[in-house]
Amino acid sequence: MIQRYVYGHPLPTDAVVRDLPVLPGDPDGLTVTQNAPAVTFSMKLEEDDLVFGLGETIRGINKRGHIYRSWNLDEVMHTEDRQSLYGAHNFLVITSGKRTFGLFLDDPGEVTWDLGATRLDRMDITSCNGNLSLYVITGRTPRAVCHEFRGLIGSSYLPPYWAFGYIQSRWGYGSSEDMHNVIHEHRSRGIPLDGVCLDIDYMDHYRDFTWDTDKIPDLPGLVADMRSQDIHLIPIIDAGIPADPSDPASEDGVRQDTFVKREDGTLFRAAVWPGLSYFTDYLNTRARTWFGSLYRPMLEAGIDGFWNDMNEPSLFYSPEGMQAAYAVADELRGKNLANDDNWKLQSSFGSLASSRKDYQSFYHDLDGLRVRHDKVHNLYGFGMSRATMDGMHAFDPDRRFLLFSRSSYIGAHRYAGVWQGDNRSWWAHLKLNLQMLPSLNMCGFLYTGADIGGFGNDATEDLLLRWLELGIFTPLMRNHSALHTRDQEVYRFSIWEHMKNIITVRYALLPYLYSEFMKAAREDDLMFRPLAFDYPHDEIACQTEDQLMLGNECMIAPVCQQNATGRIVYLPEDMLLVRLRAYNDMDVEPLKKGHHWVPARLHEALLFIRRGCVIPFAAGKTESTVGLKDHPLYLIGWDPQAEGYTLYEDDGITYREGSFRVLIPSDLPDSVFAEGEAT
């Protein structure tokens, strides 16, 4: 059941797809405090309450014990003290032995979530604007609550089948030569690959929808050559349009009045990669249509995938902010800077990027309603994803395109996936990658993953290999790294053959992973779940923070510790351990419920299959998703008498409905089953 309550005068966000009646009063169990303009919702937290959700956030799977802030931010340090990242996903589920319910605050402005941080036994959620719709969702289980919520916000984005293949990316790729080198190294070594990303360096002076013809003389030819090898080109598009009349998009946007403005009606400008830039008013229908149309030349060149970046929006500085900083520097020039003056000088320049003052200085036209940006800040990346996908569907309405974004709000899941932002080559971020998966799924973002190996800092061989062993299970499997870091393509490392073998496991798993993704998308379900969702009465399962349920048949428990030769795994029921080394190299071992030390050599990925279940594997090696169509399937499981597995199949390209096929162990003689009882 879903109940809706309204406070203040909510702005339209398009987060939900159902129009529910507004109930009078306040919801039962919540204390509502109005301190204009803010509204706070408070509740006592019981000792055994677990708190799940909030999408893309730091810390563990259970969010209790920290203050989070819904304020989309270009945040490069994903450390435990951070309260905001790139997305605002205002949905959480509270569950215990006594109650289970969800809360969704449809509020595009700043929201703070004190989830037992100030007081262990108290939750305070504050809408800073005080204009919102509050949805209270009840259900028998957390999974049922999530199902109700997903029905409220609409079906998840469907990427093409090839987007589940391995993708290679790096800040610095910008030329045809870069693409050819990456492809050659993968294909010559037999490392599977389905996509290569171009970062900002391919553009002509960082101008969106352009490419440097010295670096890429023939874009359609490059795309066609890559496609002949079953590889897709995926360029980046940023939010800022250069404030330069010689730039075609800039000139046309000014003429058609599609950019955000200051209060006095002048165009707002702030710097990003090309310098001072304009920003499309994605909250305006006409401006979204205009921006979506800008993708057409690249679509006509054969490109069918993009990644949108810098769309919080990230601002390096504004002219007004820089002028104020220079004024402080002039005031302090030549002085012996004591403590206060030193911090004043550093702060004046250190606070230029993504300044609150800048976000308060420009306005949107919500189809006739003028709104200051900070009141709707968290919708900006959502609007860019919507504009992009609408533009691609205007070009070809039947085709499934790849699109993933850095910034998002609930509702954006209908148009794009998300990657988990600019993480680091830290073991802690490998674990954080795992922990974000279920909370993003809860908010509708099924197509997600992190930068494998870490974006910032230098990846070590063991970290990248262990990260690949998690990445083979995530829908978006992309190796991405930053400029001036260690080259991170798998072929750069001495143990590249082990890495290649793990990537081949991904392709063998794809029939299962794709089926579970599509089932979750079509049934408003979760692909990844906390163990607490499936075993709510198991206290150990409810406190497990480094294992996840995958689909309806599996559990994953990656090794997230440096130098580890295995890990302790908790099995909430008897399960089949599958050690995966390559598409054709694995062993199985049945284990009883309880704690186990599970050895896992550096080149072994771990998968656990529930008793009575089987999952499909593709037989044979392939270098792309195209080749999977030619390979027969076999099953892996515990019991050859299992009922089988229901496989979902479609063309992977269009939105045409697929079909289900039941795979029976007795029909697949090459299937792999355990021998003997669990130990």
Side-chain angles (χ1 to χ4, degrees), residues 41-67:
F41 305 93
S42 303
M43 187 191 76
K44 177 178 173 58
L45 289 174
E46 302 295 340
E47 186 175 358
D48 60 344
D49 277 336
L50 305 173
V51 183
F52 299 107
L54 294 187
E56 185 184 58
T57 42
I58 50 84
R59 296 203 175 207
I61 297 172
N62 180 0
K63 299 301 180 186
R64 185 169 177 173
H66 188 53
I67 295 175

Side-chain angles (χ1 to χ4, degrees), residues 208 241-259 267 276-278 290 294:
D208 280 344
I241 301 289
D244 181 349
S246 67
D247 177 69
S250 176
E251 180 188 28
D252 193 50
V254 170
R255 183 173 62 252
Q256 299 205 39
D257 191 22
T258 62
F259 299 133
L267 292 173
L276 291 176
S277 301
Y278 300 133
W290 170 81
L294 299 179

Side-chain angles (χ1 to χ4, degrees), residues 651-669:
D651 63 16
I653 300 171
T654 71
Y655 293 98
R656 286 193 289 271
E657 193 74 28
S659 60
F660 291 95
R661 177 161 60 104
V662 179
L663 304 177
I664 305 296
S666 59
D667 296 337
L668 300 170

Side-chain angles (χ1 to χ4, degrees), residues 207-360:
R207 299 176 177 187
D208 280 344
F209 310 108
T210 69
W211 54 93
D212 186 332
T213 54
D214 289 333
K215 296 178 179 178
I216 306 178
D218 179 9
L219 181 64
L222 172 63
V223 174
D225 181 55
M226 292 176 66
R227 290 292 289 278
S228 71
Q229 302 175 73
D230 299 324
I231 295 173
H232 297 254
L233 183 66
I234 310 161
I236 192 174
I237 299 292
D238 284 336
I241 301 289
D244 181 349
S246 67
D247 177 69
S250 176
E251 180 188 28
D252 193 50
V254 170
R255 183 173 62 252
Q256 299 205 39
D257 191 22
T258 62
F259 299 133
V260 297
K261 297 176 181 176
R262 293 188 171 275
E263 187 173 15
D264 62 5
T266 59
L267 292 173
F268 172 78
R269 297 183 306 155
V272 279
W273 301 116
L276 291 176
S277 301
Y278 300 133
F279 296 84
T280 304
D281 189 353
Y282 298 122
L283 277 62
N284 180 272
T285 301
R286 184 176 54 81
R288 279 199 308 273
T289 301
W290 170 81
F291 186 82
S293 71
L294 299 179
Y295 288 80
R296 180 170 285 269
M298 302 186 89
L299 293 167
E300 290 173 341
I303 294 170
D304 55 358
F306 295 90
W307 52 301
N308 287 345
D309 201 1
M310 307 294 286
N311 51 355
E312 292 72 33
S314 179
L315 311 176
F316 293 170
Y317 66 86
S318 68
E320 295 77 11
M322 187 66 79
Q323 184 178 3
Y326 283 144
V328 170
D330 288 341
E331 172 196 342
L332 300 176
R333 191 186 304 274
K335 290 181 63 176
N336 178 14
L337 301 184
N339 184 56
D340 289 346
D341 284 342
N342 173 59
W343 291 117
K344 182 178 180 181
L345 179 63
Q346 290 195 37
S347 176
S348 65
F349 287 94
S351 61
L352 284 173
S354 301
S355 158
R356 290 292 184 103
K357 185 175 291 186
D358 286 335
Y359 289 140
Q360 294 168 353

Side-chain angles (χ1 to χ4, degrees), residues 427 430 466-467 469 557-562 564-567 598 600 604 606:
W427 290 89
L430 166 55
R466 289 299 194 197
W467 214 318
E469 290 166 8
V559 176
C560 300
Q561 182 178 333
Q562 190 170 18
T565 57
R567 56 160 293 165
V598 178
E604 292 180 324
L606 303 178

